[in-house]
Amino acid sequence: MLVDVLPEKNVDAQSAQQWHTLTVSQTFETLRSSPRGLTVVEAERRLSEYGPNQLQAAARISPWTILLEQFKNVLIVILLCATALSAFLGHGVEAIAITVIVLFAVILGFVQEYRAERAIEALREMAAPTATVVRDGREKRINARELVPGDLIVLVTGDKVPADARLIEAVNLQTVEAPLTGESAPIQKHTNLLEDERLPTGDRKNLAYAGTVVTYGRGRAVVVATGMATEFGKIAELLQSVDTAKTPLQQNLDRVGKTLARVSFGVVLVIVALGLFRGQPFVEMLIFGVALAVAVVPEALPAVVTISLALGVKRMVKRNALVRRLPAVETLGSTSVICSDKTGTLTRDEMTVRRLFVAGQMLQVSGRGYEPQGKFSLNGTEVEPSEPISVFLRAAALSSDARLERNETGDKWEIKGDPTEGALVVMAAKAGLDKTELDAQFLRVSEIPFSAETKRMITLHETPDGLTAYAKGAPEVIVQACEFELTANGKKPMDEMRRAEVLDVARMMAGEALRVLAVARKRDTSPDAADKEMTLLGLVGMIDPPRREARAAVHECEQAGIKVIMITGDHPLTAKAVAAELGISKNGQIGAGPELEAMDDADLERLMESIEVCARVSPTHKLRIVTALQKRGQIVAMTGDGVNDAPALKKADIGIAMGITGTDVSKEAAAMTLTDDNFASIVAAVEEGRGIYSNIKKYLMYLLSSNVGEIGLMAGATLAGLPLPLSAVQILYVNLATDGLPALALAVDPPEDDLMQRPPRDPSTGIFTRPVVILMLVGGLWSTIVNLSLFVWALNSGRGVQEAMTMTFVSLVLIQFFKAYNFRSDRHSVLRHPFANKWLNLAIVWELVMLALILYVPLLERTFGTFGLSLRDWLIIIAAAFTVSPILELAKWSERRGWFGKLE
């Protein structure tokens, strides 16, 4: 991929400044920026001045290079040399025809590889990293290549730092700088000035470096260097790539292609030797032998698979699935288990508070989505928030990082941040408590971020009561940390009985498919004691409605033999209710995190055979779940969005990251990213993966069956002592006509109706299953029998050799076209949607027109050595060629009955 580099003067200008020695205000002044970030207009100007924020990569392969690669095939070079010799000896017309056909084949190969290169290039662009930037005072997500010096960026746990930047805010911020310094331990960051100009990179702790990863906390920073001027750029490493290594299928086809090539060469040598033995001219047999080798050696198989996979991946992007690694496309068709997160993937990720349990009373909250409008009611009667309710709402909002804002057009409210926290902020806004005003009034001085292990978040604020800690998290965690409860009559002690009563209320709310959080506080505390002896303020129950399309997608998985396991950090009762609504839960069996933790690996493997829902799950549990399923022979797709999900995503056969809510770390670990975070897109990707693999199989069956038919015809005629049934020009044209447009049309064949009603493909079987091989051989051998018989009959019926060769030539072309329609499915009848592939229809019509021109245009007739056929000849040829269809249909019928082995 060709990547522009910053102008040299700008690289030097960015690198020269010792940014760690400047204060925050000096940094803003030097970069002519502010806490509101740059304006959009200024950012565009700087982008023109400094160039894009990207590293120098390998040069893009030029079209001329791709074209020249086509002539590196030794057979092509030998054929062209032999053709030149033939022209020198007086066979000019035939030599020109062969040259033209070879050039057409070269151009076809060039077009295919050029499209594949551009498709992979497009994948690199689509997989480019993004960054959260503040411009004109508003946060927005942009492509990281658009960052410029002076931009204000937002960093949160899981982000990859997109450029070198001076920190202006750091809340428990830690980064791993191993790519730069080799130090694997997280580095604690701060905003303080550092005076020593000669500090090594690893000690400049008020800077965040491009390519490093935020592992904890959050912060803001102003960009000081981009592109090749960053520390990362100085060691010339790529920030982003798409893996283009050969897939297992390509490697398999490499081996198959080489084996077929050796066999084909052997047969060709025998044919040429026998021709020379019978007195055929050396140059003529050389040209014919090389032409036959060019036609039957499938040297392009791996390249064609690359094209099919790359173009298939582009189609998958339209269905909201971005595949980063081509082997993942093959694996998608074999997926037998999908382990999916609940929130945002199976549900809409639009949390809305419905219930509050405060001071022993259950209140209802009205409103929809993120609109800050709604009422609080008790037993159906609207009430004004009491003091305990107001304290609860204030605590919930202050302990959240999400912000409620209007969108850019101003016609809709949206949440910036976590949807769960967003629901709490909206709930407070319904009572007139504005998050921005609360943050200004009660300044946050520290925080203990949420983690999957602690299941709670604590923030510390300056208040009139001293340093106050506000906490929110899982009820079982928060309630156990509370020694008191806030009631209408003030703070009262909590005993074990009261804790059990509160947790019973939480379970009841969870049973209504509500996600339940507990909120607590501790006044006049210190950071070290913030999570002890807290006061419970209440419970909040919110709902995230299931996606409408998710239930249909789950049902489609069931038909496709794919098991869906819902994984969530929610309460088991909440998880069970949502799973039942989506049709995931059949037996009602749920595995909870603590139970999974207590199991040994063998017990977990047995449990995963029957379990459908995993609740209160942490990222470490995800890794064990994937491992257990894989040990049971399952092909596992696993979703994830957090930093700690990365090991499970890498371990899974298909790691699936969330494009919207996912961290940069999870996206890099995953093989596929959902651009809409939607479960239905996973199923669509599986369907597309199955379709791509199926079309590659169709292409290979057709191509190899055609090659078997061609070489079988030539070998049979030679061994029988007959004249050669095709000339070098004709055999090359047959190769061009069949390997060209009709074969490519099969690579974009519409998916079969029952594609998602078949069980997952066993990846260990490979593409050449017994039914596939038998179908290829039946088609190839029948083509050999029909064409050889037709040739013998034509010679014995008094026709000349040229007319017999013409009839065989036309028969061979037509029989390939009939096979193209038959091979649209390896199991279903050709009469089932016979003309559904419009590209195949157009390709066949085009090739028939070309065939007619070859037969009836005098110049082409002489060039190809053909003969104008009569109507009777055409009827005989069509009848003979058509016989391949019922023969292949009989073979498919036998396959459906299981005579040839299991269909894949």
Side-chain angles (χ1 to χ4, degrees):
M1 180 171 66
L2 180 64
V3 182
D4 296 329
V5 182
L6 289 170
E8 194 65 36
K9 64 181 181 66
N10 290 328
V11 172
D12 292 341
Q14 294 180 72
S15 302
Q17 184 63 255
Q18 300 294 326
W19 298 103
H20 64 284
T21 65
L22 301 183
T23 64
V24 171
S25 59
Q26 287 173 333
T27 303
F28 276 130
E29 184 179 348
T30 303
L31 292 166
R32 301 190 305 281
S33 185
S34 75
R36 287 180 53 82
L38 299 174
T39 64
V40 173
V41 173
E42 176 62 15
E44 290 174 354
R45 188 194 68 77
R46 294 192 187 191
L47 186 61
S48 299
E49 177 183 351
Y50 292 103
N53 174 39
Q54 51 193 11
L55 303 182
Q56 188 172 16
R60 175 185 293 158
I61 299 175
S62 72
W64 286 110
T65 303
I66 296 174
L67 181 60
L68 290 175
E69 285 288 331
Q70 309 306 309
F71 291 97
K72 288 187 176 180
N73 185 335
V74 176
L75 293 175
I76 294 289
V77 175
I78 294 174
L79 182 58
L80 289 176
C81 292
T83 303
L85 179 61
S86 175
F88 179 76
L89 296 176
H91 303 285
V93 175
E94 183 182 44
I96 291 171
I98 292 175
T99 303
V100 170
I101 292 174
V102 168
L103 290 178
F104 267 118
V106 165
I107 291 171
L108 180 63
F110 164 75
V111 170
Q112 291 175 344
E113 290 196 26
Y114 180 80
R115 289 184 68 193
E117 180 66 26
R118 295 293 81 82
I120 292 172
E121 181 71 19
L123 293 183
R124 290 192 179 102
E125 291 298 322
M126 287 183 286
T130 59
T132 302
V133 64
V134 178
R135 287 182 179 168
D136 289 322
R138 296 183 64 89
E139 284 186 20
K140 54 166 45 175
R141 197 79 175 167
I142 65 170
N143 192 312
R145 71 188 301 275
E146 298 172 10
L147 285 176
V148 296
D151 260 328
L152 186 63
I153 57 174
V154 179
L155 301 173
V156 297
T157 302
D159 280 354
K160 174 176 272 190
V161 180
D164 287 2
R166 171 64 162 91
L167 291 164
I168 66 168
E169 177 185 323
V171 180
N172 298 320
L173 185 66
Q174 296 179 9
T175 64
V176 169
E177 298 178 349
L180 286 177
T181 65
E183 175 59 55
S184 59
I187 305 298
Q188 186 74 43
K189 294 293 183 175
H190 59 73
T191 61
N192 302 329
L193 177 146
L194 297 170
E195 295 181 353
D196 187 353
E197 292 186 0
R198 294 175 296 177
L199 278 177
T201 299
D203 292 337
R204 299 177 183 183
K205 297 183 179 180
N206 57 8
L207 295 180
Y209 295 106
T212 62
V213 174
V214 179
T215 58
Y216 197 72
R218 59 184 174 82
R220 292 192 173 209
V222 59
V223 173
V224 298
T226 57
M228 297 305 291
T230 63
E231 293 296 326
F232 211 73
K234 293 172 185 174
I235 58 174
E237 290 183 2
L238 285 174
L239 259 176
Q240 193 65 258
S241 64
V242 173
D243 187 359
T244 56
K246 285 189 175 181
T247 72
L249 176 58
Q250 287 173 292
Q251 293 169 0
N252 183 26
L253 291 180
D254 271 334
R255 293 190 295 270
V256 172
K258 288 174 182 175
T259 301
L260 291 176
R262 285 192 288 269
V263 173
S264 300
F265 275 132
V267 175
V268 168
L269 288 174
V270 170
I271 293 173
V272 172
L274 289 174
L276 292 173
F277 180 75
R278 291 204 303 264
Q280 296 282 353
F282 174 78
V283 173
E284 179 182 331
M285 289 310 300
L286 174 64
I287 293 174
F288 178 82
V290 176
L292 183 59
V294 169
V296 301
V297 173
E299 74 284 340
L301 286 187
V304 168
V305 171
T306 301
I307 295 164
S308 300
L309 291 174
L311 297 181
V313 166
K314 288 189 70 176
R315 291 197 304 273
M316 292 171 73
V317 170
K318 296 178 181 178
R319 303 185 75 173
N320 301 309
L322 172 59
V323 174
R324 291 170 48 85
R325 303 182 181 97
L326 291 184
V329 179
E330 298 175 34
T331 312
L332 275 169
S334 304
T335 302
S336 57
V337 176
I338 299 176
C339 297
S340 174
D341 287 323
K342 177 182 74 68
T343 303
T345 307
L346 290 164
T347 60
R348 291 166 55 186
D349 208 13
E350 290 183 358
M351 283 289 188
T352 305
V353 172
R354 286 284 176 259
R355 299 276 190 279
L356 293 182
F357 180 72
V358 179
Q361 295 182 316
M362 184 69 73
L363 292 92
Q364 294 78 43
V365 185
S366 64
R368 175 182 296 181
Y370 296 138
E371 290 288 327
Q373 297 174 358
K375 304 295 183 182
F376 297 84
S377 58
L378 179 64
N379 298 324
T381 303
E382 184 180 333
V383 296
E384 288 297 321
S386 62
E387 178 62 19
I389 296 174
S390 297
V391 171
F392 175 89
L393 298 177
R394 183 164 58 246
L398 285 170
S399 62
S400 299
D401 288 327
R403 295 187 313 284
L404 178 65
E405 298 178 355
R406 286 197 178 274
N407 60 7
E408 292 185 2
T409 58
D411 59 350
K412 184 180 178 182
W413 290 94
E414 61 183 15
I415 286 295
K416 296 291 186 182
D418 180 74
T420 299
E421 293 190 336
L424 300 178
V425 172
V426 172
M427 171 186 67
K430 291 175 181 178
L433 297 174
D434 181 80
K435 165 71 171 167
T436 305
E437 293 177 1
L438 288 174
D439 287 341
Q441 185 179 358
F442 304 102
L443 187 65
R444 185 188 295 189
V445 294
S446 184
E447 68 181 56
I448 303 172
F450 176 88
S451 72
E453 290 73 30
T454 62
K455 293 185 173 62
R456 53 105 173 103
M457 175 181 182
I458 300 175
T459 59
L460 292 100
H461 301 257
E462 292 178 353
T463 72
D465 299 316
L467 189 65
T468 299
Y470 294 110
K472 68 177 188 303
E476 61 269 28
V477 173
I478 298 295
V479 171
Q480 289 303 321
C482 290
E483 294 291 330
F484 305 94
E485 179 183 11
L486 185 64
T487 69
N489 299 317
K491 187 171 73 171
K492 289 188 175 182
M494 288 185 76
D495 55 19
E496 287 301 322
M497 182 179 296
R498 180 54 184 165
R499 290 191 186 93
E501 290 173 355
V502 173
L503 291 176
D504 283 341
V505 173
R507 281 189 285 271
M508 179 197 70
M509 295 169 70
E512 298 174 6
L514 296 175
R515 184 175 190 181
V516 185
L517 295 179
V519 179
R521 77 174 178 188
K522 183 177 183 182
R523 294 191 288 191
D524 194 18
T525 185
S526 65
D528 294 337
D531 60 345
K532 301 176 181 66
E533 298 181 354
M534 304 190 83
T535 299
L536 180 68
L537 303 181
L539 305 175
V540 56
M542 59 192 78
I543 191 166
D544 184 11
R547 292 180 183 267
R548 282 179 294 181
E549 62 272 25
R551 185 177 180 86
V554 169
H555 179 65
E556 192 172 3
C557 284
E558 188 177 350
Q559 289 186 311
I562 301 171
K563 180 179 180 179
V564 179
I565 299 176
M566 188 178 84
I567 294 180
T568 178
D570 277 349
H571 193 282
L573 292 176
T574 307
K576 182 178 180 180
V578 174
E581 186 173 349
L582 288 168
I584 294 174
S585 180
K586 303 292 190 303
N587 57 25
Q589 190 170 358
I590 296 177
E595 298 172 23
L596 303 181
E597 191 79 46
M599 289 183 181
D600 60 24
D601 291 343
D603 288 339
L604 183 60
E605 287 176 36
R606 286 191 291 272
L607 177 68
M608 294 313 300
E609 283 294 300
S610 59
I611 207 163
E612 294 158 336
V613 180
C614 294
R616 287 291 188 244
V617 169
S618 70
T620 54
H621 297 144
K622 280 189 174 184
L623 183 59
R624 290 192 67 207
I625 289 169
V626 170
T627 304
L629 288 167
Q630 289 175 331
K631 285 183 177 179
R632 303 293 284 190
Q634 304 289 356
I635 305 299
V636 184
M638 170 70 80
T639 68
D641 55 9
V643 176
N644 295 335
D645 288 331
L649 293 177
K650 276 191 172 293
K651 175 67 175 173
D653 299 281
I654 295 286
I656 304 171
M658 302 295 108
I660 299 173
T661 60
T663 61
D664 291 341
V665 174
S666 65
K667 292 174 188 176
E668 290 194 353
M672 186 171 83
T673 299
L674 300 183
T675 56
D676 63 350
D677 292 9
N678 192 339
F679 178 79
S681 297
I682 303 176
V683 182
V686 171
E687 181 181 8
E688 197 69 48
R690 287 188 177 191
I692 292 168
Y693 196 89
S694 175
N695 285 352
I696 290 173
K697 183 165 64 175
K698 297 172 190 178
Y699 181 100
L700 294 176
M701 284 194 300
Y702 171 66
L703 187 66
L704 296 180
S705 176
S706 298
N707 288 356
V708 169
E710 292 165 17
I711 202 164
L713 169 63
M714 306 311 296
T718 302
L719 293 174
L722 298 171
L724 292 175
L726 297 173
S727 68
V729 178
Q730 289 170 345
I731 194 70
L732 284 171
Y733 181 79
V734 170
N735 180 60
L736 181 65
T738 56
D739 287 9
L741 298 179
L744 291 177
L746 284 176
V748 292
D749 200 49
E752 296 176 60
D753 294 341
D754 63 343
L755 191 64
M756 289 298 284
Q757 295 170 9
R758 304 173 188 173
R761 178 179 57 84
D762 183 353
S764 64
T765 59
I767 200 165
F768 294 107
T769 59
R770 183 184 295 179
V772 167
V773 172
I774 289 176
L775 208 57
M776 284 193 303
L777 291 177
V778 167
L781 292 176
W782 188 257
S783 173
T784 298
I785 293 169
V786 168
N787 290 313
L788 192 57
S789 300
L790 180 65
F791 183 61
V792 171
W793 174 83
L795 290 174
N796 292 335
S797 64
R799 291 172 169 80
V801 173
Q802 184 180 8
E803 185 175 358
M805 290 175 67
T806 301
M807 293 183 72
T808 307
F809 168 65
V810 174
S811 173
L812 180 59
V813 171
L814 292 184
I815 212 166
Q816 313 282 48
F817 292 167
F818 283 123
K819 282 197 289 187
Y821 284 99
N822 279 97
F823 284 134
R824 285 192 58 237
S825 175
D826 62 344
R827 64 187 69 201
H828 297 306
S829 169
V830 69
L831 299 178
R832 184 172 177 173
H833 312 303
F835 303 111
N837 188 337
K838 65 177 182 179
W839 299 112
L840 180 59
N841 300 335
L842 291 172
I844 297 298
V845 170
W846 170 258
E847 296 295 349
L848 287 174
V849 171
M850 293 300 297
L851 184 62
L853 293 176
I854 289 170
L855 293 180
Y856 297 109
V857 173
L859 176 62
L860 296 177
E861 194 176 333
R862 289 194 302 274
T863 302
F864 284 87
T866 55
F867 184 91
L869 298 175
S870 66
L871 177 61
R872 182 172 180 271
D873 290 339
W874 272 105
L875 292 175
I876 292 171
I877 293 169
I878 292 172
F882 179 74
T883 59
V884 76
S885 281
I887 292 298
L888 286 173
E889 289 305 302
L890 180 62
K892 290 184 194 177
W893 179 80
S894 301
E895 284 185 3
R896 289 194 295 270
R897 295 177 68 87
W899 293 359
F900 299 153
K902 181 182 177 182
L903 281 168
E904 289 292 332

